[in-house]
Amino acid sequence: MDDFYREYILEHYKYPRNRGTLEHPTISHEETNFLCGDTVRLDILVENEVIQDIRFSGQGCAISMASASMLTEEIKGRSVEEAKAFSKEELLDLIGIPLDKNPMRLKCALLSLKTLKAGLYGVGAMQDEEL
Ligand code: ZN
């Protein structure tokens, strides 16, 4: 992995944005990536169809946690429709590493997006292919 990107991921891992929980979330959803043992929970506050606040909690590898940090930072303040349309390609661009050659890492990276979309759509679970 390129050093620059590794630093960027570790920086988000060490100093995560929006880490924590919300007292009265509109939506709260948790997903686990059993391949790696990552768990991400998102608390989302929706007002007027806009994501006013979002926090993540859980634990896992650096990529899963950095991904959750980056995603919450990106999605906060967007409309629910925009968030639903946020693609896995956009998320992978944010994280900045080519994950297409490593399916294990891809699952780690996409866990936060999977949690977000399953929460917003109100469904129990989502497959990677549906993201
Ligand atoms: Zn992982």
Side-chain angles (χ1 to χ4, degrees):
M1 199 188 295
D2 190 293
D3 273 350
F4 172 78
Y5 292 124
R6 191 162 52 201
E7 285 301 311
Y8 182 56
I9 288 167
L10 286 178
E11 202 266 337
H12 267 271
Y13 182 57
K14 281 187 203 158
Y15 308 105
R17 323 297 196 266
N18 305 310
R19 185 162 176 91
T21 55
L22 294 176
E23 211 154 308
H24 302 290
T26 317
I27 297 164
S28 187
H29 191 79
E30 182 177 300
E31 291 275 342
T32 300
N33 167 23
F34 293 103
L35 280 178
C36 181
D38 313 313
T39 298
V40 168
R41 176 180 148 186
L42 289 177
D43 283 357
I44 307 167
L45 183 68
V46 178
E47 275 169 14
N48 303 318
E49 292 300 306
V50 170
I51 295 175
Q52 297 288 355
D53 208 352
I54 181 166
R55 301 284 164 82
F56 82 95
S57 52
Q59 52 193 352
C61 66
I63 289 185
S64 67
M65 294 296 107
S67 162
S69 172
M70 292 175 202
L71 180 67
T72 54
E73 195 172 48
E74 187 69 21
I75 234 69
K76 193 171 166 177
R78 291 204 190 200
S79 73
V80 170
E81 285 314 305
E82 283 175 327
K84 280 180 177 175
F86 196 79
S87 70
K88 60 181 166 189
E89 288 76 15
E90 285 175 276
L91 179 63
L92 294 180
D93 269 359
L94 271 186
I95 300 170
I97 50 173
L99 291 153
D100 52 322
K101 292 187 185 76
N102 193 334
M104 276 283 286
R105 287 289 163 224
L106 189 65
K107 287 213 174 285
C108 299
L110 293 179
L111 179 63
S112 60
L113 187 62
K114 197 186 266 190
T115 310
L116 175 74
K117 292 206 177 177
L120 291 179
Y121 281 103
V123 295
M126 257 192 161
Q127 301 304 311
D128 291 1
E129 298 73 38
E130 298 176 296
L131 293 174

